[in-house]
Short mmCIF file of all heavy atoms in Angstrom, two decimals:
data_model
loop_
_atom_site.label_atom_id
_atom_site.label_comp_id
_atom_site.label_asym_id
_atom_site.label_seq_id
_atom_site.Cartn_x
_atom_site.Cartn_y
_atom_site.Cartn_z
N MET C 1 0.82 -1.18 0.00
CA MET C 1 -0.01 0.01 0.00
C MET C 1 0.86 1.26 0.00
O MET C 1 0.52 2.23 -0.62
CB MET C 1 -0.94 -0.05 1.23
CG MET C 1 -1.81 1.14 1.36
SD MET C 1 -3.03 1.18 0.05
CE MET C 1 -3.96 2.59 0.52
N GLY C 2 1.99 1.20 0.67
CA GLY C 2 2.87 2.39 0.74
C GLY C 2 3.43 2.78 -0.60
O GLY C 2 3.54 3.95 -0.91
N GLU C 3 3.84 1.78 -1.39
CA GLU C 3 4.37 2.07 -2.74
C GLU C 3 3.30 2.69 -3.64
O GLU C 3 3.58 3.60 -4.39
CB GLU C 3 4.90 0.80 -3.35
CG GLU C 3 6.19 0.28 -2.71
CD GLU C 3 7.33 1.28 -2.86
OE1 GLU C 3 7.49 1.82 -4.00
OE2 GLU C 3 8.05 1.50 -1.90
N ARG C 4 2.08 2.19 -3.58
CA ARG C 4 1.00 2.71 -4.39
C ARG C 4 0.72 4.18 -4.03
O ARG C 4 0.52 5.00 -4.91
CB ARG C 4 -0.24 1.85 -4.20
CG ARG C 4 -1.38 2.29 -5.12
CD ARG C 4 -2.54 1.39 -4.99
NE ARG C 4 -2.20 0.10 -5.58
CZ ARG C 4 -3.02 -0.89 -5.71
NH1 ARG C 4 -4.26 -0.78 -5.28
NH2 ARG C 4 -2.65 -2.02 -6.27
N LEU C 5 0.74 4.49 -2.76
CA LEU C 5 0.52 5.87 -2.32
C LEU C 5 1.64 6.80 -2.82
O LEU C 5 1.37 7.91 -3.26
CB LEU C 5 0.41 5.93 -0.80
CG LEU C 5 0.11 7.30 -0.19
CD1 LEU C 5 -1.22 7.84 -0.70
CD2 LEU C 5 0.13 7.21 1.32
N LYS C 6 2.87 6.29 -2.79
CA LYS C 6 3.98 7.09 -3.29
C LYS C 6 3.81 7.39 -4.81
O LYS C 6 4.09 8.50 -5.24
CB LYS C 6 5.29 6.35 -3.07
CG LYS C 6 5.74 6.36 -1.64
CD LYS C 6 7.05 5.56 -1.53
CE LYS C 6 7.44 5.36 -0.10
NZ LYS C 6 8.68 4.59 0.02
N VAL C 7 3.36 6.40 -5.56
CA VAL C 7 3.16 6.59 -7.01
C VAL C 7 2.03 7.60 -7.22
O VAL C 7 2.18 8.51 -8.05
CB VAL C 7 2.86 5.26 -7.69
CG1 VAL C 7 2.40 5.48 -9.14
CG2 VAL C 7 4.03 4.34 -7.66
N PHE C 8 0.96 7.50 -6.49
CA PHE C 8 -0.15 8.47 -6.64
C PHE C 8 0.31 9.87 -6.30
O PHE C 8 0.02 10.82 -7.00
CB PHE C 8 -1.34 8.10 -5.77
CG PHE C 8 -2.17 6.96 -6.30
CD1 PHE C 8 -2.61 5.96 -5.48
CD2 PHE C 8 -2.51 6.87 -7.64
CE1 PHE C 8 -3.37 4.92 -5.93
CE2 PHE C 8 -3.28 5.84 -8.14
CZ PHE C 8 -3.69 4.84 -7.27
N LEU C 9 1.07 10.03 -5.21
CA LEU C 9 1.56 11.34 -4.83
C LEU C 9 2.53 11.89 -5.89
O LEU C 9 2.49 13.08 -6.22
CB LEU C 9 2.21 11.30 -3.47
CG LEU C 9 1.25 11.08 -2.29
CD1 LEU C 9 2.03 10.94 -0.99
CD2 LEU C 9 0.30 12.26 -2.20
N PHE C 10 3.37 11.04 -6.41
CA PHE C 10 4.32 11.43 -7.42
C PHE C 10 3.60 11.90 -8.68
O PHE C 10 3.95 12.96 -9.24
CB PHE C 10 5.26 10.26 -7.75
CG PHE C 10 6.28 10.57 -8.81
CD1 PHE C 10 7.29 11.48 -8.60
CD2 PHE C 10 6.17 9.98 -10.06
CE1 PHE C 10 8.21 11.76 -9.58
CE2 PHE C 10 7.08 10.26 -11.06
CZ PHE C 10 8.10 11.16 -10.85
N VAL C 11 2.61 11.18 -9.10
CA VAL C 11 1.85 11.57 -10.29
C VAL C 11 1.09 12.87 -10.05
O VAL C 11 0.98 13.74 -10.91
CB VAL C 11 0.86 10.44 -10.70
CG1 VAL C 11 -0.11 10.92 -11.77
CG2 VAL C 11 1.64 9.25 -11.19
N ALA C 12 0.59 13.04 -8.82
CA ALA C 12 -0.12 14.32 -8.48
C ALA C 12 0.85 15.48 -8.52
O ALA C 12 0.49 16.57 -9.07
CB ALA C 12 -0.72 14.19 -7.09
N VAL C 13 2.06 15.33 -8.03
CA VAL C 13 3.04 16.43 -8.08
C VAL C 13 3.42 16.71 -9.52
O VAL C 13 3.53 17.89 -9.90
CB VAL C 13 4.26 16.05 -7.21
CG1 VAL C 13 5.41 17.03 -7.45
CG2 VAL C 13 3.89 16.03 -5.74
N LEU C 14 3.63 15.69 -10.31
CA LEU C 14 3.95 15.91 -11.72
C LEU C 14 2.82 16.64 -12.44
O LEU C 14 3.03 17.51 -13.26
CB LEU C 14 4.27 14.59 -12.44
CG LEU C 14 5.66 14.02 -12.22
CD1 LEU C 14 5.80 12.72 -12.98
CD2 LEU C 14 6.71 14.98 -12.62
N GLY C 15 1.59 16.23 -12.13
CA GLY C 15 0.44 16.90 -12.75
C GLY C 15 0.34 18.35 -12.35
O GLY C 15 0.02 19.23 -13.20
N PHE C 16 0.64 18.65 -11.09
CA PHE C 16 0.64 20.06 -10.63
C PHE C 16 1.70 20.88 -11.35
O PHE C 16 1.42 21.92 -11.84
CB PHE C 16 0.90 20.09 -9.10
CG PHE C 16 0.98 21.47 -8.55
CD1 PHE C 16 -0.18 22.20 -8.29
CD2 PHE C 16 2.20 22.05 -8.31
CE1 PHE C 16 -0.11 23.50 -7.80
CE2 PHE C 16 2.29 23.32 -7.81
CZ PHE C 16 1.14 24.06 -7.56
N ILE C 17 2.89 20.31 -11.46
CA ILE C 17 3.99 21.01 -12.17
C ILE C 17 3.63 21.20 -13.64
O ILE C 17 3.85 22.29 -14.19
CB ILE C 17 5.29 20.25 -12.01
CG1 ILE C 17 5.75 20.29 -10.56
CG2 ILE C 17 6.39 20.79 -12.91
CD1 ILE C 17 6.91 19.37 -10.22
N ALA C 18 3.05 20.19 -14.26
CA ALA C 18 2.61 20.34 -15.67
C ALA C 18 1.57 21.44 -15.82
O ALA C 18 1.58 22.16 -16.78
CB ALA C 18 2.11 18.99 -16.19
N GLY C 19 0.64 21.51 -14.85
CA GLY C 19 -0.38 22.55 -14.92
C GLY C 19 0.20 23.94 -14.81
O GLY C 19 -0.22 24.87 -15.53
N VAL C 20 1.20 24.11 -13.91
CA VAL C 20 1.86 25.41 -13.77
C VAL C 20 2.59 25.77 -15.07
O VAL C 20 2.50 26.90 -15.57
CB VAL C 20 2.79 25.39 -12.57
CG1 VAL C 20 3.67 26.63 -12.55
CG2 VAL C 20 2.02 25.26 -11.26
N ILE C 21 3.31 24.77 -15.62
CA ILE C 21 4.03 25.04 -16.87
C ILE C 21 3.06 25.38 -18.00
O ILE C 21 3.30 26.30 -18.78
CB ILE C 21 4.92 23.82 -17.23
CG1 ILE C 21 6.05 23.68 -16.23
CG2 ILE C 21 5.46 23.96 -18.65
CD1 ILE C 21 6.83 22.40 -16.38
N ALA C 22 1.96 24.66 -18.06
CA ALA C 22 0.96 24.93 -19.12
C ALA C 22 0.38 26.33 -18.96
O ALA C 22 0.21 27.04 -19.97
CB ALA C 22 -0.16 23.88 -19.06
N GLN C 23 0.10 26.75 -17.74
CA GLN C 23 -0.46 28.10 -17.54
C GLN C 23 0.53 29.18 -17.94
O GLN C 23 0.17 30.15 -18.58
CB GLN C 23 -0.90 28.28 -16.09
CG GLN C 23 -1.53 29.59 -15.77
CD GLN C 23 -2.84 29.79 -16.56
OE1 GLN C 23 -3.58 28.83 -16.77
NE2 GLN C 23 -3.14 30.99 -16.90
N LEU C 24 1.78 28.98 -17.54
CA LEU C 24 2.81 29.97 -17.93
C LEU C 24 3.01 29.98 -19.43
O LEU C 24 3.20 31.07 -20.01
CB LEU C 24 4.15 29.62 -17.25
CG LEU C 24 4.17 29.82 -15.73
CD1 LEU C 24 5.48 29.29 -15.15
CD2 LEU C 24 4.00 31.27 -15.39
N THR C 25 2.94 28.83 -20.06
CA THR C 25 3.06 28.76 -21.53
C THR C 25 1.92 29.49 -22.21
O THR C 25 2.10 30.27 -23.15
CB THR C 25 3.11 27.30 -21.98
OG1 THR C 25 4.19 26.64 -21.34
CG2 THR C 25 3.25 27.20 -23.48
N ILE C 26 0.69 29.28 -21.67
CA ILE C 26 -0.45 29.92 -22.28
C ILE C 26 -0.38 31.43 -22.13
O ILE C 26 -0.73 32.18 -23.05
CB ILE C 26 -1.76 29.38 -21.66
CG1 ILE C 26 -1.99 27.94 -22.12
CG2 ILE C 26 -2.97 30.24 -21.95
CD1 ILE C 26 -3.10 27.26 -21.36
N GLU C 27 0.08 31.92 -20.99
CA GLU C 27 0.10 33.34 -20.75
C GLU C 27 1.21 34.09 -21.45
O GLU C 27 1.05 35.23 -21.84
CB GLU C 27 0.15 33.63 -19.25
CG GLU C 27 -1.14 33.33 -18.53
CD GLU C 27 -1.10 33.78 -17.09
OE1 GLU C 27 -0.22 34.54 -16.69
OE2 GLU C 27 -1.98 33.33 -16.33
N TYR C 28 2.40 33.46 -21.53
CA TYR C 28 3.57 34.18 -22.01
C TYR C 28 4.12 33.68 -23.33
O TYR C 28 4.45 34.46 -24.23
CB TYR C 28 4.64 34.17 -20.95
CG TYR C 28 4.22 34.81 -19.65
CD1 TYR C 28 3.96 34.04 -18.55
CD2 TYR C 28 4.05 36.17 -19.58
CE1 TYR C 28 3.53 34.63 -17.36
CE2 TYR C 28 3.64 36.77 -18.39
CZ TYR C 28 3.39 35.99 -17.26
OH TYR C 28 2.95 36.58 -16.12
N VAL C 29 4.29 32.38 -23.48
CA VAL C 29 4.97 31.88 -24.69
C VAL C 29 4.10 31.87 -25.91
O VAL C 29 4.51 32.34 -26.96
CB VAL C 29 5.49 30.43 -24.38
CG1 VAL C 29 6.13 29.81 -25.63
CG2 VAL C 29 6.48 30.47 -23.25
N ILE C 30 2.86 31.41 -25.79
CA ILE C 30 1.98 31.33 -26.94
C ILE C 30 1.66 32.71 -27.54
O ILE C 30 1.75 32.89 -28.74
CB ILE C 30 0.71 30.53 -26.60
CG1 ILE C 30 1.06 29.07 -26.39
CG2 ILE C 30 -0.33 30.68 -27.73
CD1 ILE C 30 -0.10 28.20 -25.97
N PRO C 31 1.35 33.71 -26.73
CA PRO C 31 1.11 35.02 -27.34
C PRO C 31 2.38 35.59 -28.03
O PRO C 31 2.27 36.23 -29.09
CB PRO C 31 0.72 35.92 -26.16
CG PRO C 31 0.16 34.99 -25.14
CD PRO C 31 0.96 33.72 -25.31
N ALA C 32 3.53 35.33 -27.48
CA ALA C 32 4.75 35.83 -28.14
C ALA C 32 4.98 35.11 -29.47
O ALA C 32 5.31 35.75 -30.47
CB ALA C 32 5.96 35.60 -27.21
N LEU C 33 4.79 33.81 -29.51
CA LEU C 33 4.92 33.06 -30.75
C LEU C 33 3.85 33.47 -31.79
O LEU C 33 4.14 33.55 -32.96
CB LEU C 33 4.88 31.54 -30.51
CG LEU C 33 6.10 30.97 -29.80
CD1 LEU C 33 5.86 29.50 -29.52
CD2 LEU C 33 7.34 31.14 -30.63
N ALA C 34 2.65 33.66 -31.31
CA ALA C 34 1.57 34.06 -32.20
C ALA C 34 1.82 35.42 -32.80
O ALA C 34 1.44 35.70 -33.95
CB ALA C 34 0.23 34.02 -31.46
N ALA C 35 2.47 36.32 -32.05
CA ALA C 35 2.76 37.67 -32.59
C ALA C 35 3.85 37.60 -33.62
O ALA C 35 3.88 38.31 -34.60
CB ALA C 35 3.16 38.57 -31.45
N ILE C 36 4.79 36.65 -33.41
CA ILE C 36 5.93 36.54 -34.35
C ILE C 36 5.52 35.80 -35.63
O ILE C 36 5.82 36.22 -36.74
CB ILE C 36 7.11 35.77 -33.70
CG1 ILE C 36 7.65 36.62 -32.52
CG2 ILE C 36 8.21 35.49 -34.69
CD1 ILE C 36 8.62 35.86 -31.66
N LEU C 37 4.79 34.68 -35.48
CA LEU C 37 4.37 33.89 -36.62
C LEU C 37 2.85 33.68 -36.58
O LEU C 37 2.37 32.58 -36.27
CB LEU C 37 5.07 32.53 -36.60
CG LEU C 37 6.61 32.58 -36.60
CD1 LEU C 37 7.19 31.25 -36.25
CD2 LEU C 37 7.10 33.04 -37.94
N PRO C 38 2.07 34.64 -36.97
CA PRO C 38 0.61 34.56 -36.79
C PRO C 38 -0.06 33.51 -37.71
O PRO C 38 -1.08 32.96 -37.36
CB PRO C 38 0.08 35.96 -37.10
CG PRO C 38 1.17 36.57 -37.94
CD PRO C 38 2.46 35.95 -37.51
N ILE C 39 0.50 33.30 -38.91
CA ILE C 39 -0.15 32.37 -39.83
C ILE C 39 0.03 30.92 -39.41
O ILE C 39 -0.91 30.12 -39.41
CB ILE C 39 0.39 32.59 -41.27
CG1 ILE C 39 0.03 33.98 -41.75
CG2 ILE C 39 -0.12 31.53 -42.22
CD1 ILE C 39 0.64 34.36 -43.06
N ILE C 40 1.23 30.55 -39.00
CA ILE C 40 1.54 29.17 -38.66
C ILE C 40 0.94 28.76 -37.35
O ILE C 40 0.41 27.64 -37.18
CB ILE C 40 3.08 28.94 -38.64
CG1 ILE C 40 3.64 29.21 -40.04
CG2 ILE C 40 3.41 27.56 -38.16
CD1 ILE C 40 5.13 29.18 -40.09
N PHE C 41 0.97 29.64 -36.35
CA PHE C 41 0.58 29.26 -35.00
C PHE C 41 -0.84 29.67 -34.70
O PHE C 41 -1.14 30.82 -34.41
CB PHE C 41 1.53 29.91 -33.98
CG PHE C 41 2.89 29.33 -34.00
CD1 PHE C 41 3.93 29.97 -34.65
CD2 PHE C 41 3.12 28.13 -33.37
CE1 PHE C 41 5.20 29.39 -34.69
CE2 PHE C 41 4.39 27.57 -33.39
CZ PHE C 41 5.42 28.19 -34.04
N SER C 42 -1.74 28.72 -34.77
CA SER C 42 -3.09 28.96 -34.28
C SER C 42 -3.18 28.41 -32.87
O SER C 42 -2.26 27.70 -32.42
CB SER C 42 -4.13 28.29 -35.19
OG SER C 42 -4.09 26.91 -35.01
N LYS C 43 -4.23 28.73 -32.19
CA LYS C 43 -4.39 28.25 -30.79
C LYS C 43 -4.43 26.75 -30.73
O LYS C 43 -3.84 26.14 -29.82
CB LYS C 43 -5.65 28.83 -30.17
CG LYS C 43 -5.59 30.31 -29.92
CD LYS C 43 -6.87 30.76 -29.24
CE LYS C 43 -6.82 32.26 -28.98
NZ LYS C 43 -7.99 32.75 -28.36
N TYR C 44 -5.06 26.11 -31.69
CA TYR C 44 -5.20 24.66 -31.66
C TYR C 44 -3.86 23.96 -31.88
O TYR C 44 -3.52 22.97 -31.22
CB TYR C 44 -6.23 24.20 -32.66
CG TYR C 44 -7.57 24.80 -32.43
CD1 TYR C 44 -8.09 25.75 -33.29
CD2 TYR C 44 -8.34 24.44 -31.32
CE1 TYR C 44 -9.33 26.31 -33.05
CE2 TYR C 44 -9.57 24.98 -31.07
CZ TYR C 44 -10.06 25.95 -31.93
OH TYR C 44 -11.28 26.49 -31.71
N ILE C 45 -3.11 24.45 -32.84
CA ILE C 45 -1.80 23.85 -33.11
C ILE C 45 -0.89 24.01 -31.94
O ILE C 45 -0.18 23.06 -31.52
CB ILE C 45 -1.18 24.42 -34.39
CG1 ILE C 45 -2.01 24.01 -35.62
CG2 ILE C 45 0.25 24.01 -34.56
CD1 ILE C 45 -1.58 24.69 -36.90
N LEU C 46 -0.84 25.22 -31.37
CA LEU C 46 0.01 25.45 -30.22
C LEU C 46 -0.40 24.66 -28.98
O LEU C 46 0.43 24.17 -28.25
CB LEU C 46 0.05 26.97 -29.88
CG LEU C 46 0.90 27.79 -30.85
CD1 LEU C 46 0.78 29.25 -30.50
CD2 LEU C 46 2.34 27.35 -30.81
N SER C 47 -1.70 24.53 -28.79
CA SER C 47 -2.18 23.71 -27.66
C SER C 47 -1.79 22.25 -27.83
O SER C 47 -1.36 21.61 -26.88
CB SER C 47 -3.70 23.83 -27.52
OG SER C 47 -4.05 25.14 -27.22
N GLY C 48 -1.92 21.75 -29.03
CA GLY C 48 -1.54 20.37 -29.30
C GLY C 48 -0.01 20.13 -29.12
O GLY C 48 0.39 19.17 -28.51
N LEU C 49 0.77 21.06 -29.63
CA LEU C 49 2.22 20.94 -29.45
C LEU C 49 2.63 21.06 -28.01
O LEU C 49 3.50 20.31 -27.56
CB LEU C 49 2.94 22.00 -30.29
CG LEU C 49 2.86 21.84 -31.80
CD1 LEU C 49 3.49 23.04 -32.51
CD2 LEU C 49 3.54 20.54 -32.21
N THR C 50 2.00 21.97 -27.29
CA THR C 50 2.30 22.13 -25.86
C THR C 50 1.93 20.84 -25.09
O THR C 50 2.70 20.38 -24.25
CB THR C 50 1.55 23.32 -25.29
OG1 THR C 50 1.90 24.50 -26.01
CG2 THR C 50 1.88 23.51 -23.81
N GLY C 51 0.79 20.30 -25.38
CA GLY C 51 0.37 19.08 -24.71
C GLY C 51 1.29 17.90 -25.00
O GLY C 51 1.67 17.15 -24.11
N ALA C 52 1.71 17.80 -26.24
CA ALA C 52 2.65 16.72 -26.63
C ALA C 52 4.01 16.92 -25.92
O ALA C 52 4.58 15.95 -25.40
CB ALA C 52 2.82 16.68 -28.12
N PHE C 53 4.48 18.12 -25.91
CA PHE C 53 5.76 18.43 -25.28
C PHE C 53 5.71 18.13 -23.78
O PHE C 53 6.63 17.51 -23.22
CB PHE C 53 6.13 19.88 -25.54
CG PHE C 53 7.47 20.27 -24.99
CD1 PHE C 53 8.63 19.80 -25.57
CD2 PHE C 53 7.55 21.15 -23.93
CE1 PHE C 53 9.87 20.17 -25.07
CE2 PHE C 53 8.78 21.50 -23.39
CZ PHE C 53 9.93 21.02 -23.99
N LEU C 54 4.65 18.61 -23.09
CA LEU C 54 4.55 18.37 -21.66
C LEU C 54 4.41 16.88 -21.34
O LEU C 54 4.97 16.39 -20.35
CB LEU C 54 3.38 19.14 -21.09
CG LEU C 54 3.53 20.65 -20.99
CD1 LEU C 54 2.23 21.29 -20.55
CD2 LEU C 54 4.65 21.00 -20.06
N THR C 55 3.69 16.16 -22.16
CA THR C 55 3.54 14.72 -21.94
C THR C 55 4.89 14.02 -22.08
O THR C 55 5.20 13.14 -21.26
CB THR C 55 2.52 14.13 -22.92
OG1 THR C 55 1.29 14.79 -22.78
CG2 THR C 55 2.35 12.64 -22.70
N LEU C 56 5.66 14.40 -23.07
CA LEU C 56 6.99 13.80 -23.23
C LEU C 56 7.88 14.08 -22.04
O LEU C 56 8.60 13.19 -21.55
CB LEU C 56 7.65 14.29 -24.53
CG LEU C 56 7.13 13.70 -25.81
CD1 LEU C 56 7.79 14.41 -27.00
CD2 LEU C 56 7.43 12.22 -25.86
N ILE C 57 7.83 15.30 -21.55
CA ILE C 57 8.65 15.67 -20.37
C ILE C 57 8.23 14.87 -19.17
O ILE C 57 9.06 14.29 -18.45
CB ILE C 57 8.55 17.18 -20.09
CG1 ILE C 57 9.29 17.93 -21.20
CG2 ILE C 57 9.15 17.52 -18.73
CD1 ILE C 57 9.11 19.43 -21.10
N ILE C 58 6.92 14.74 -18.92
CA ILE C 58 6.43 14.06 -17.75
C ILE C 58 6.78 12.59 -17.80
O ILE C 58 7.24 12.01 -16.80
CB ILE C 58 4.90 14.26 -17.60
CG1 ILE C 58 4.61 15.71 -17.19
CG2 ILE C 58 4.31 13.32 -16.55
CD1 ILE C 58 3.18 16.08 -17.29
N VAL C 59 6.55 11.96 -18.96
CA VAL C 59 6.87 10.54 -19.09
C VAL C 59 8.38 10.29 -18.99
O VAL C 59 8.82 9.33 -18.37
CB VAL C 59 6.32 9.99 -20.42
CG1 VAL C 59 6.81 8.59 -20.71
CG2 VAL C 59 4.80 10.00 -20.37
N SER C 60 9.17 11.18 -19.54
CA SER C 60 10.62 11.04 -19.42
C SER C 60 11.11 11.16 -17.96
O SER C 60 11.95 10.36 -17.55
CB SER C 60 11.34 12.12 -20.25
OG SER C 60 11.02 11.96 -21.61
N ILE C 61 10.56 12.12 -17.23
CA ILE C 61 10.91 12.23 -15.83
C ILE C 61 10.51 11.00 -15.05
O ILE C 61 11.24 10.47 -14.24
CB ILE C 61 10.26 13.52 -15.21
CG1 ILE C 61 10.90 14.76 -15.83
CG2 ILE C 61 10.37 13.51 -13.71
CD1 ILE C 61 10.18 16.05 -15.44
N TRP C 62 9.29 10.53 -15.32
CA TRP C 62 8.78 9.34 -14.63
C TRP C 62 9.69 8.11 -14.93
O TRP C 62 10.07 7.37 -14.04
CB TRP C 62 7.36 9.08 -15.01
CG TRP C 62 6.80 7.80 -14.49
CD1 TRP C 62 6.46 7.51 -13.18
CD2 TRP C 62 6.58 6.60 -15.23
NE1 TRP C 62 6.05 6.23 -13.09
CE2 TRP C 62 6.09 5.65 -14.32
CE3 TRP C 62 6.72 6.25 -16.54
CZ2 TRP C 62 5.73 4.37 -14.76
CZ3 TRP C 62 6.37 5.00 -16.94
CH2 TRP C 62 5.87 4.07 -16.04
N ALA C 63 10.02 7.95 -16.19
CA ALA C 63 10.85 6.81 -16.58
C ALA C 63 12.24 6.90 -15.97
O ALA C 63 12.83 5.90 -15.55
CB ALA C 63 10.94 6.71 -18.11
N TYR C 64 12.78 8.12 -15.94
CA TYR C 64 14.13 8.29 -15.37
C TYR C 64 14.13 8.02 -13.85
O TYR C 64 15.01 7.38 -13.33
CB TYR C 64 14.61 9.73 -15.66
CG TYR C 64 15.97 9.98 -15.05
CD1 TYR C 64 17.10 9.46 -15.62
CD2 TYR C 64 16.10 10.78 -13.92
CE1 TYR C 64 18.35 9.73 -15.10
CE2 TYR C 64 17.32 11.03 -13.36
CZ TYR C 64 18.46 10.53 -13.96
OH TYR C 64 19.69 10.78 -13.40
N ILE C 65 13.10 8.50 -13.14
CA ILE C 65 13.07 8.37 -11.67
C ILE C 65 12.78 6.93 -11.32
O ILE C 65 13.41 6.38 -10.39
CB ILE C 65 12.04 9.31 -11.08
CG1 ILE C 65 12.54 10.75 -11.18
CG2 ILE C 65 11.75 8.96 -9.61
CD1 ILE C 65 11.55 11.78 -10.76
N THR C 66 11.85 6.27 -11.98
CA THR C 66 11.52 4.91 -11.59
C THR C 66 12.62 3.95 -12.03
O THR C 66 12.95 3.02 -11.29
CB THR C 66 10.17 4.46 -12.19
OG1 THR C 66 10.22 4.63 -13.60
CG2 THR C 66 9.04 5.28 -11.59
N GLY C 67 13.18 4.10 -13.21
CA GLY C 67 14.25 3.25 -13.67
C GLY C 67 13.85 1.81 -13.83
O GLY C 67 12.77 1.44 -13.44
N PRO C 68 14.73 0.99 -14.37
CA PRO C 68 14.40 -0.43 -14.51
C PRO C 68 14.49 -1.18 -13.19
O PRO C 68 15.32 -0.82 -12.34
CB PRO C 68 15.48 -0.94 -15.49
CG PRO C 68 16.63 -0.02 -15.29
CD PRO C 68 16.04 1.32 -14.91
N LYS C 69 13.61 -2.16 -13.01
CA LYS C 69 13.62 -2.93 -11.79
C LYS C 69 14.50 -4.14 -12.04
O LYS C 69 14.31 -4.88 -13.02
CB LYS C 69 12.21 -3.37 -11.41
CG LYS C 69 11.41 -2.27 -10.80
CD LYS C 69 10.22 -2.79 -10.12
CE LYS C 69 9.54 -1.69 -9.38
NZ LYS C 69 8.51 -2.14 -8.52
N GLU C 70 15.38 -4.38 -11.15
CA GLU C 70 16.29 -5.54 -11.22
C GLU C 70 15.71 -6.61 -10.32
O GLU C 70 15.67 -6.48 -9.12
CB GLU C 70 17.68 -5.16 -10.73
CG GLU C 70 18.19 -3.92 -11.43
CD GLU C 70 19.33 -4.22 -12.37
OE1 GLU C 70 19.86 -5.32 -12.32
OE2 GLU C 70 19.65 -3.33 -13.16
N THR C 71 15.19 -7.69 -10.92
CA THR C 71 14.62 -8.77 -10.10
C THR C 71 15.50 -10.00 -10.11
O THR C 71 16.29 -10.27 -10.95
CB THR C 71 13.19 -9.15 -10.58
OG1 THR C 71 13.25 -9.45 -11.97
CG2 THR C 71 12.28 -8.00 -10.33
#
């Protein structure tokens, strides 16, 4: 039970961090990119790219921290 609780808490912390990063991206990065390249960057494309990027970061962090189990 203790290991399961640790995993849930770890996922919750990662989700919180991803939410903060997403909010900062929405407020600062996306408007700057949209002003520079208005034709290429629509809200939907940027939202999809941001989601894909954050998911890759979260999964990479999780894979690095958990590592392979040696049995």
Side-chain angles (χ1 to χ4, degrees):
M1 179 69 177
E3 290 295 318
R4 184 176 290 185
L5 182 60
K6 287 180 188 177
V7 170
F8 283 138
L9 289 175
F10 178 70
V11 170
V13 169
L14 281 180
F16 177 79
I17 292 170
V20 170
I21 292 171
Q23 183 64 33
L24 291 173
T25 302
I26 289 170
E27 286 186 17
Y28 299 108
V29 176
I30 291 177
L33 289 175
I36 295 170
L37 302 167
I39 295 173
I40 297 174
F41 289 100
S42 72
K43 290 182 181 180
Y44 301 109
I45 292 172
L46 285 175
S47 296
L49 291 174
T50 303
F53 183 71
L54 288 175
T55 302
L56 284 175
I57 289 173
I58 290 169
V59 170
S60 298
I61 291 170
W62 173 72
Y64 178 76
I65 289 175
T66 57
K69 286 195 173 189
E70 311 248 347
T71 53

